[in-house]
Amino acid sequence: MPTSRSVNKLQATPDGRRQPTQARAQQTIQTLFKAAAQILDKEGEAGLTTNKVAAAAGFSIGTLYQYFPSKEMLVRAMSARGQDLVLQELEGYLRELETRADVQHMDGRELLGKAIHILLQGFAKGKGLSQTLIRLGWTLEKPDETANAVRQVADRLAVFFERIDHPALQTPSTAQMFVLTRSVIGTLRSASLEKSPLLGSPAFEEALTQMA
């Protein structure tokens, strides 16, 4: 998986693949990601091949294989990047609220609804990525990676509820937080995999907020 850290040279992974650990390599990775996303948008999953990605990005197939030994690994890396962006956006939103002096007087339902909206956009509708990529990423998911992301969401929300001490948003118990986060993410996963038309409807987002 690509990381955002930059060092002076490329490091080898246990399978001999190079990791993108310098600015030029990071640029190469982003170019490959962009090319793959464009192909997915135009041709769908069936049209995505490593040869097409390399050609669209302007690199040799050997360059692509230096970072991603297969199409599946490329898609998983793109999905992991998208997941990181979702978590970063959620963190930014919660941190901003935690610093507001008037947060306890704000509408609790709206506060929670915005958090749901961020998760919906990132894990189902594909903000910054295509819905096709999100769906493909779910089909290739590694359970441990998904569970880790959900735990991060749950842990961060638990801290948020404690910090703002909102009269309408009581801090959920450990069991309640587990059920809440797994229910939301599980619903988004199912909607994405099923290509549900509900993903574009306000009623779907409202139902998630109401459940939460």
Side-chain angles (χ1 to χ4, degrees), residues 4-211:
S4 59
R5 293 175 296 178
S6 296
V7 294
N8 293 327
K9 61 182 180 180
L10 294 175
Q11 298 175 336
T13 62
D15 65 358
R17 302 291 177 179
R18 294 197 302 172
Q19 285 289 82
T21 53
Q22 62 181 202
R24 181 178 297 176
Q26 288 291 336
Q27 184 175 4
T28 299
I29 292 297
Q30 293 305 315
T31 302
L32 291 169
F33 283 178
K34 182 178 180 179
Q38 290 174 342
I39 293 171
L40 277 171
D41 285 340
K42 292 180 180 179
E43 304 181 37
E45 179 183 348
L48 183 68
T49 68
T50 50
N51 283 316
K52 285 184 179 180
V53 173
F59 299 121
S60 69
I61 190 65
T63 296
L64 185 150
Y65 284 148
Q66 287 177 348
Y67 303 106
F68 307 110
S70 66
K71 179 179 75 172
E72 289 72 21
M73 291 298 293
L74 171 62
V75 171
R76 286 185 58 208
M78 293 173 68
S79 297
R81 176 55 180 160
Q83 186 179 90
D84 288 342
L85 293 175
V86 176
L87 296 176
Q88 289 173 19
E89 183 175 1
L90 180 64
E91 169 63 27
Y93 170 64
L94 298 180
R95 185 179 300 174
E96 179 184 0
L97 288 177
E98 289 169 349
T99 61
R100 292 190 56 158
D102 63 341
V103 68
Q104 294 183 356
H105 303 290
M106 298 175 67
D107 186 295
R109 186 182 181 88
E110 290 184 8
L111 297 183
L112 189 57
K114 178 61 181 298
I116 294 294
H117 180 77
I118 291 172
L119 295 177
L120 171 62
Q121 292 291 322
F123 287 123
K125 294 191 67 175
K127 180 179 180 181
L129 303 168
S130 69
Q131 287 193 38
T132 302
L133 174 59
I134 295 294
R135 184 166 56 252
L136 185 55
W138 281 122
T139 65
L140 299 173
E141 69 173 314
K142 296 291 184 180
D144 288 347
E145 295 174 355
T146 301
N148 180 60
V150 178
R151 281 194 296 269
Q152 289 185 60
V153 172
D155 292 344
R156 185 61 182 89
L157 286 174
V159 171
F160 168 73
F161 285 127
E162 291 180 356
R163 287 179 176 174
I164 64 169
D165 192 25
H166 196 286
L169 295 175
Q170 297 182 2
T171 302
S173 67
T174 301
Q176 288 173 327
M177 183 62 76
F178 184 95
V179 171
L180 168 63
T181 52
R182 274 65 176 184
S183 296
V184 170
I185 300 301
T187 299
L188 296 179
R189 177 183 182 277
S190 295
S192 177
L193 289 173
E194 295 174 27
K195 302 181 182 180
S196 174
L198 289 172
L199 281 175
S201 70
F204 181 72
E205 188 168 338
E206 173 61 23
L208 284 171
T209 302
Q210 183 175 355
M211 177 182 68

